[in-house]
Amino acid sequence: MRALRVRRMSANVSIEEVARVAELANLELTPDESAHMQKDLNAILDYIAQLNELDTHGVAPLAQASELAGVDARGSLRADERRPSLERAAVMAQTPVSDEVFFKVPKVIER
Amino acid sequence: MPSEAKTTETYVQRPKSLGELRSGIENGSIKATELAASYYARIERINPELNVYLSLTRERALAQADGVDRAAASGDPLGPLAGIPVGIKDVLVMRGAPATAGSKILAGYQPPYDATAVAKLEAAGAVLLGKLNCDEFAMGSSNENSAYGPVRNPVDPERVPGGSSGGSAAAVASDLAVASLGTDTGGSIRQPASFCGVVGVLPTYGRVSRYGLIAFASSLDRIGPFAGNVRDAATLLGVIAGHDAMDATSSSTPVPDYAAESDKPVEGMRVGIPAEYFAEGLDPEVRAAIEKGIDALKAAGCVIKPISLPHTRYAIPTYYLVATAEASANLARFDGVRYGHRSLQSETLSAMYRHSRDEGFGTEVKRRILLGTYALSAGYYDAYYLKAQQVRRLLAEEFLRAFAEVDVIVTPTAPTPAFKLGEKTGDPLAMYLADIYTVTASLAGICGVTVPCGSAAGLPVGMQVLAAHFNEASAFRVARAVEAAQE
């Protein structure tokens, strides 16, 4: 198990993986950009691999620092009551293509 | 009125203090409208050189200033920031004014609402001059990642002001605002404050509402003030701090009178000096400047205690996993559908998403989105993101143990003074390492203040004073003592 973790953390990112990740992130990279990103990602991930020096067995992940300050998130929730939100006209003014009610976008499925 | 600098080469000018300006406005010897006009005149002259402001909110500012003058003339009560010219980092929204987040993807976007921190400043009487330049989506340590050109350091225009809140720091350093708001995710208030020779505050996570902040990393982002002196920074924090129903992560912890707290003497306070922040990589002149500051604290009656924070070296890799993972999620909303740049040539919806994002995002932003997406993707989530969150706990608990022994922890804010424009842009990793002293506090959620503390090679040096969650008062007290020792 431990050996598997080490191998994964210092994995070499291939150009195919860059393309896969770009697809997940809805980014379209040129071949030149892809090559640069591959190099940068590998350099950064190489550096990040030092985290493997630490034994974190049994350590609970810390997602919200406020947990440590004793702040109870539930105390911050407001009552579930309707109240006015943003004005539609102001919101629709921000999109390039709309019918004032809906945001209009190109077709979803390519035939 | 801000006095004119005698030399033509330097743009550096210390703003007048809040106290001096506000009493002038209260007794009518200063007119808020004239003060605002003088700031706009200075901005017109100097902004082309420094590129500090991206847009100005003249109408709103002058209307506010006019209201303040009328209230002053009628003897009506004035807010604590009445008539004070303030700049706002362009990742915070102001209704009807542009909010670019330093990115092309939000070119033309006009938010339909105010950020809570902005609204609070205005309710206190502040005159909001305009939106300040920053690294794109607050990602950067030099303000060279802005899609609208870099900001230049007023101390030396060939050098960076730091980032990502470079515009916010430079504005105060060059008296293009009396104070400003910036944001800090990994050091983006503290490091530019250090590079520009001004005071910057990292409030505890949850101290200031993030409503209206264009999010970069939601578990790390904080909004905080820049000012020309510690007391003014404390006053500003008091205005923007507090619980907000619109931000579920904001805290109900009471807001003390930070300015009054900063006046208190430091005698008997325990100051921790962590060995890991004074090791290799630290510029010797920066070290000397900070050591002088520590000596001043000793002379003021502080107890200086050497401490160790052994997990410090793991903070940067941890930060660049946590922050980029969160950023990849937060920046998914920029898809060309509802606001900002939309690529109009696309045949299908998914092509529109890809082209809009490709055209709108800069290289550093794309790099971080890719890194974050990779760290979260199936097969890698445990090894990277989860691991980072575990190390985060180790780092945070290390601080908590330290704060059981000391009241504050003092370190240099940055390992070097301001570097030259273009010096680090070729190597992203080298740029990330500039954050080495600031990301630890970011991950732990604790607070801090950076205060000018001497110089290195003629450039400003900042001392970082860290304190436990919601103990900004202690950080202000110690920062004030360091400031006082140099007067």
Side-chain angles (χ1 to χ4, degrees):
Chain A
M1 252 308 139
R2 199 172 172 78
L4 181 64
R5 262 210 298 279
V6 170
R7 181 152 51 87
R8 276 183 153 186
M9 263 217 130
S10 46
N12 221 295
V13 179
S14 66
I15 201 84
E16 291 77 27
E17 275 197 297
V18 174
R20 179 185 71 88
V21 173
E23 196 181 5
L24 284 174
N26 268 299
L27 287 174
E28 191 161 282
L29 302 175
T30 65
D32 198 45
E33 274 180 313
S34 287
H36 275 114
M37 284 298 172
Q38 184 193 12
K39 189 165 143 287
D40 288 341
L41 285 183
N42 276 313
I44 295 166
L45 289 169
D46 252 350
Y47 175 72
I48 282 173
Q50 64 181 290
L51 288 183
N52 234 27
E53 294 167 17
L54 289 172
D55 181 5
T56 51
H57 185 76
V59 178
L62 183 66
Q64 267 297 345
S66 33
E67 178 197 316
L68 296 173
V71 174
D72 181 4
R74 279 164 306 164
S76 305
L77 294 179
R78 61 178 187 268
D80 189 11
E81 290 158 358
R82 275 183 64 181
R83 44 174 90 171
S85 180
L86 297 172
E87 283 189 29
R88 185 179 222 104
V91 172
M92 300 317 291
Q94 300 309 314
T95 189
V97 191
S98 84
D99 61 1
E100 317 277 296
V101 178
F102 294 103
F103 302 103
K104 294 180 105 176
V105 297
K107 59 184 185 284
V108 177
I109 298 164
E110 184 167 33
R111 296 210 177 276
Chain B
M1 310 295 156
S3 59
E4 292 313 296
K6 289 288 191 293
T7 65
T8 46
E9 272 72 39
T10 181
Y11 300 103
V12 174
Q13 181 164 294
R14 172 152 305 221
K16 292 209 161 84
S17 73
L18 277 185
E20 191 183 335
L21 289 170
R22 204 181 159 293
S23 49
I25 285 166
E26 194 158 26
N27 66 37
S29 61
I30 300 176
K31 290 274 178 287
T33 43
E34 285 170 17
L35 184 62
S38 72
Y39 271 84
Y40 280 126
R42 187 171 164 80
I43 289 168
E44 203 168 302
R45 271 199 335 278
I46 292 182
N47 204 56
E49 306 298 324
L50 300 181
N51 200 24
V52 164
Y53 280 93
L54 292 178
S55 63
L56 300 175
T57 47
R58 246 182 250 263
E59 254 185 63
R60 184 167 172 171
L62 293 173
Q64 172 84 332
D66 188 54
V68 167
D69 285 337
R70 283 168 197 280
S74 327
D76 290 342
L78 295 174
L81 300 180
I84 303 299
V86 178
I88 305 294
K89 184 175 181 181
D90 212 17
V91 290
L92 287 159
V93 296
M94 278 179 72
R95 187 186 291 110
T100 65
S103 180
K104 284 193 295 199
I105 213 163
L106 282 176
Y109 173 60
Q110 300 246 311
Y113 68 109
D114 282 339
T116 296
V118 165
K120 285 184 146 185
L121 285 181
E122 215 169 42
V127 172
L128 307 178
L129 296 177
K131 309 306 291 299
L132 297 165
N133 201 349
C134 58
D135 277 307
E136 190 176 0
F137 286 104
M139 299 181 186
S141 307
S142 66
N143 218 133
E144 293 173 289
N145 291 333
S146 169
Y148 301 95
V151 173
R152 291 171 180 275
N153 193 320
V155 178
D156 176 353
E158 298 303 305
R159 292 179 186 269
V160 303
S164 60
S165 312
S168 308
V172 174
S174 59
D175 200 13
L176 295 185
V178 172
S180 64
L181 285 190
T183 65
D184 192 313
T185 302
S188 293
I189 287 176
R190 292 162 285 158
Q191 185 250 38
S194 174
F195 278 12
C196 291
V198 297
V199 176
V201 181
L202 171 76
T204 307
Y205 182 83
R207 179 74 289 183
V208 179
S209 167
R210 289 179 299 112
Y211 180 68
L213 168 59
I214 297 171
F216 159 14
S218 305
S219 81
L220 296 164
D221 289 345
R222 335 254 185 104
I223 299 167
F226 288 85
N229 65 75
V230 173
R231 200 170 206 282
D232 289 357
T235 303
L236 268 132
L237 180 62
V239 170
I240 61 174
H243 181 256
D244 181 18
M246 300 303 284
D247 177 0
T249 64
S250 73
S251 169
S252 305
T253 306
V255 181
D257 182 344
Y258 290 120
E261 290 290 328
S262 77
D263 290 336
K264 291 183 178 170
V266 296
E267 192 174 340
M269 286 183 81
R270 301 159 302 166
V271 176
I273 310 294
E276 293 77 8
Y277 290 68
F278 291 85
E280 82 270 358
L282 175 58
D283 177 300
E285 280 187 80
V286 173
R287 174 198 288 264
I290 300 301
E291 283 173 350
K292 264 181 95 174
I294 294 169
D295 287 341
L297 288 174
K298 202 164 171 189
C302 289
V303 177
I304 310 297
K305 295 183 79 162
I307 63 172
S308 178
L309 299 169
H311 286 90
T312 299
R313 63 194 232 84
Y314 300 107
I316 295 244
T318 305
Y319 172 78
Y320 277 98
L321 282 174
V322 172
T324 57
E326 294 184 8
S328 72
N330 277 327
L331 270 61
R333 73 192 65 189
F334 300 104
D335 53 17
V337 175
R338 293 151 294 169
Y339 39 65
H341 172 70
R342 178 193 288 206
S343 181
L344 292 169
Q345 309 307 329
S346 313
E347 293 274 293
T348 64
L349 183 59
S350 62
M352 185 191 91
Y353 290 159
R354 287 196 313 273
H355 296 151
S356 303
R357 291 162 68 77
D358 207 53
E359 289 159 18
F361 286 141
T363 307
E364 182 60 37
V365 170
K366 285 182 191 171
R367 185 162 30 234
R368 295 197 192 195
I369 290 174
L370 287 172
L371 179 58
T373 306
Y374 182 84
L376 288 173
S377 63
Y380 296 110
Y381 179 93
D382 282 7
Y384 289 112
Y385 184 67
L386 213 55
K387 180 82 178 180
Q389 295 287 44
Q390 289 175 308
V391 179
R392 184 178 186 175
R393 184 175 292 278
L394 296 178
L395 280 159
E397 288 179 343
E398 193 163 84
F399 270 119
L400 290 184
R401 283 194 297 275
F403 285 124
E405 306 296 316
V406 298
D407 300 302
V408 299
I409 292 171
V410 156
T411 81
T413 303
T416 67
F419 42 88
K420 285 205 185 272
L421 287 156
E423 190 177 314
K424 293 190 197 261
T425 47
D427 183 356
L429 199 50
M431 188 71 87
Y432 295 168
L433 291 171
D435 294 338
I436 200 138
Y437 299 143
T438 51
V439 293
T440 45
S442 303
L443 290 163
I446 60 172
C447 62
V449 176
T450 182
V451 58
C453 185
S455 62
L459 298 165
V461 167
M463 174 194 275
Q464 175 174 239
V465 183
L466 298 173
H469 301 99
F470 301 107
N471 194 13
E472 286 85 348
S474 291
F476 281 126
R477 268 167 84 181
V478 171
R480 183 77 180 279
V482 170
E483 181 183 72
Q486 295 169 76
E487 277 154 13

